[in-house]
Amino acid sequence: MADQYARGRDGDGSRLPVLRWDETAEGPRLVLLDQTRLPGEETEAVCADVPAVVAAIRSLAVRGAPLLGITGAYGVALAAVRGDDVESAAVVLAGARPTAVNLGYGARLALAAYRAEAVHGAERAASAALAAARELHRGDAEASDRMAAHGLALLDELLPGDGYRVLTHCNTGALVSGGEGTAFAVALAAHRAGRLRRLWVDETRPLLQGARLTAWEAARSGMPYTLLTDNAAGSLFAAGEVDAVLIGADRIAADGAVANKVGSYPLAVLARYHHVPFIVVAPTTTVDPDTPDGAAIEVERRDADEVTRGTGGGRPVAPEGTEAYNPAFDVTPPELVTAIVTERGALSPVTGGGMAGLWDGTGPLGAG
Ligand code: MRU
């Protein structure tokens, strides 16, 4: 369901799709909803070649782990259909941002499909790469629906009663997915089931994905939501106003350590102190068996400007020349994670053995 916004499933009518493939007279285009312009403007970023896709990824016009994977796959297809060097396109796309493992996964998936058909000619190989991208896009929508169902069942089990107040961080809805997202999709399912009492939305400094994007999605879906500064989360926990934390992930290591938007780890510490479940929702494409643990996850460092000037190129909020520490993500150790929900079910407790089961089908998640 690439275009929840086009379909206006919960909201107020038609919206631009988050990502679409377009065949024009001038050639193929990857057309993205430019997330840097939300919530003020709904404009499209049109990518005619791989450098444009890479620029859109780096600027966060397109972002969020599952959507980055889908974009990586379409980016390889774009190179293939244009007749560009597909091998180097895959390398450049996979390296455009380092933390979300989905990006490399998507690029490699389309590349593998291309290579498998290359003996039959470039045109057939390009079609195979595009088909792989479309299948990843479709499959992500399906995974999203399943995560929502599994996550809702878990919340109901952990928090019996008349509903719950959920805190979330960053943006994990339809803007990052072929479907309705990861953690946000669970909150949305709870809302539809009449059990979401409130969605607490962290603003998510410095780029405000919570304020700009999650609040936008929550408003469109008619959810009861309240925006807070990241710094206010502690007092909200202390006041007993948070029943669960739901976040997404950019990479989950083999031991269950979770890289997600910076500010997730402090929430996990708060949640543990206040005996609140800390639940990670991500498709299995975000689990990376080749990354042994949290220490092995490369955390993207971004420009100081994002901290010293904020979004929108506004007036500086710090003296000119101020150095800024600006990691885009942090890593939460597995012992602080109550459960990892994937399309295959909920893993709890989070252990290396349980994680391995996600891959070989013999673990606690079963065959899904
Ligand atoms: O830097 P971003 O905006 O791409 O970061 C996104 C996140 O951290 C999300 O929480 C994560 O990708 C999970 S999205 C399902």
Side-chain angles (χ1 to χ4, degrees), residues 234 237-238 265-278 335-336:
F237 276 96
Y265 169 57
L267 290 177
V269 175
L270 276 170
R272 176 55 54 95
Y273 184 78
H274 292 283
H275 310 290
V276 165
F278 183 86
E335 58 271 21
L336 292 183

Side-chain angles (χ1 to χ4, degrees), residues 135-146:
E135 179 53 23
L136 183 64
H137 200 175
R138 191 205 58 75
D140 191 66
E142 201 172 287
S144 173
D145 286 349
R146 288 189 183 191

Side-chain angles (χ1 to χ4, degrees), residues 57-110:
I57 291 170
R58 293 206 170 121
S59 71
L60 272 57
V62 60
R63 47 157 293 285
L67 192 68
L68 286 174
I70 294 164
T71 305
Y74 277 114
V76 168
L78 187 61
V81 175
R82 284 171 47 89
D84 295 339
D85 178 347
V86 177
E87 298 283 337
S88 56
V91 171
V92 171
L93 285 159
R97 290 185 76 191
T99 306
V101 70
N102 303 61
L103 180 56
Y105 175 85
R108 281 190 294 275
L109 194 79

Side-chain angles (χ1 to χ4, degrees), residues 185-339:
V186 175
L188 192 53
H191 170 58
R192 290 182 181 135
R195 291 201 282 287
L196 183 72
R197 288 173 51 204
R198 182 134 310 265
L199 183 66
W200 298 112
V201 179
D202 264 7
E203 65 172 355
T204 315
R205 280 277 291 157
L207 295 182
L208 305 180
Q209 287 95 330
R212 293 188 303 105
L213 308 176
T214 302
W216 184 73
E217 294 195 286
R220 291 199 68 256
S221 299
M223 297 160 87
Y225 77 95
T226 301
L227 182 65
L228 60 142
T229 63
D230 302 341
N231 295 341
S235 50
L236 200 61
F237 276 96
E241 296 280 336
V242 182
D243 299 312
V245 177
L246 284 179
I247 63 158
D250 286 85
R251 184 183 298 238
I252 304 177
D255 71 343
V258 174
N260 191 53
K261 180 53 57 193
V262 67
S264 299
Y265 169 57
L267 290 177
V269 175
L270 276 170
R272 176 55 54 95
Y273 184 78
H274 292 283
H275 310 290
V276 165
F278 183 86
I279 299 166
V280 175
V281 187
T284 47
T285 51
T286 302
V287 180
D288 180 14
D290 295 331
T291 298
D293 53 30
I297 297 176
E298 183 184 350
V299 171
E300 178 183 5
R301 293 284 192 98
R302 293 187 61 91
D303 280 353
D305 266 17
E306 292 181 351
V307 178
T308 58
R309 287 185 184 272
T311 56
R315 280 190 304 171
V317 295
E320 212 55 54
T322 296
E323 282 184 24
Y325 169 62
N326 188 20
F329 304 98
D330 60 24
V331 178
T332 299
E335 58 271 21
L336 292 183
V337 179
T338 309

